[in-house]
Amino acid sequence: MNTEFALLAQYNKAFVPLEQVCQEFFNLGEKQARNMAAKGQLPIPVMRGSRSQKSPYLVKVSDLAEYLDRQYQAHRNDWEILNQ
């Protein structure tokens, strides 16, 4: 199954609040994830839904899927090297 489609099926939307994915995919608490997002330190781009500072950070599902696929491929390559 395609990672992006799986995430779309899980969240039912193209943009997901950072708070919904930060713990599961980045092992970060909400506050730390927001702080890192404000500094541009997350491994994927995030955006605010409006110009308001109170607007939540949003993650594009396709960006999250690409990140997860890259992470998987890097770990798979390492695994294949170790298991030759």
Side-chain angles (χ1 to χ4, degrees), residues 38-69:
K39 297 175 185 175
Q41 295 176 336
L42 291 173
I44 60 172
V46 295
M47 65 171 220
R48 290 195 185 267
S50 69
R51 293 187 183 267
S52 169
Q53 291 289 332
K54 295 181 180 181
S55 181
Y57 285 103
L58 300 174
V59 173
K60 190 172 184 181
V61 168
S62 61
D63 290 337
L64 180 57
E66 287 177 26
Y67 166 75
L68 293 173
D69 287 341

Side-chain angles (χ1 to χ4, degrees), residues 3-84:
T3 306
E4 184 176 354
F5 289 133
L7 290 171
L8 284 169
Q10 180 176 350
Y11 294 107
N12 295 315
K13 47 192 162 188
F15 289 89
V16 180
L18 176 61
E19 288 78 17
Q20 289 185 8
V21 299
C22 62
Q23 183 64 48
E24 181 177 1
F25 297 111
F26 304 119
N27 198 31
L28 297 171
E30 292 179 19
K31 185 176 181 179
Q32 186 179 10
R34 283 192 306 271
N35 288 339
M36 290 179 73
K39 297 175 185 175
Q41 295 176 336
L42 291 173
I44 60 172
V46 295
M47 65 171 220
R48 290 195 185 267
S50 69
R51 293 187 183 267
S52 169
Q53 291 289 332
K54 295 181 180 181
S55 181
Y57 285 103
L58 300 174
V59 173
K60 190 172 184 181
V61 168
S62 61
D63 290 337
L64 180 57
E66 287 177 26
Y67 166 75
L68 293 173
D69 287 341
R70 283 193 312 270
Q71 289 293 102
Y72 170 77
Q73 193 57 52
H75 290 285
R76 178 161 179 101
N77 291 343
D78 291 344
W79 180 84
E80 287 177 353
I81 289 169
L82 292 172
N83 291 288
Q84 286 185 2

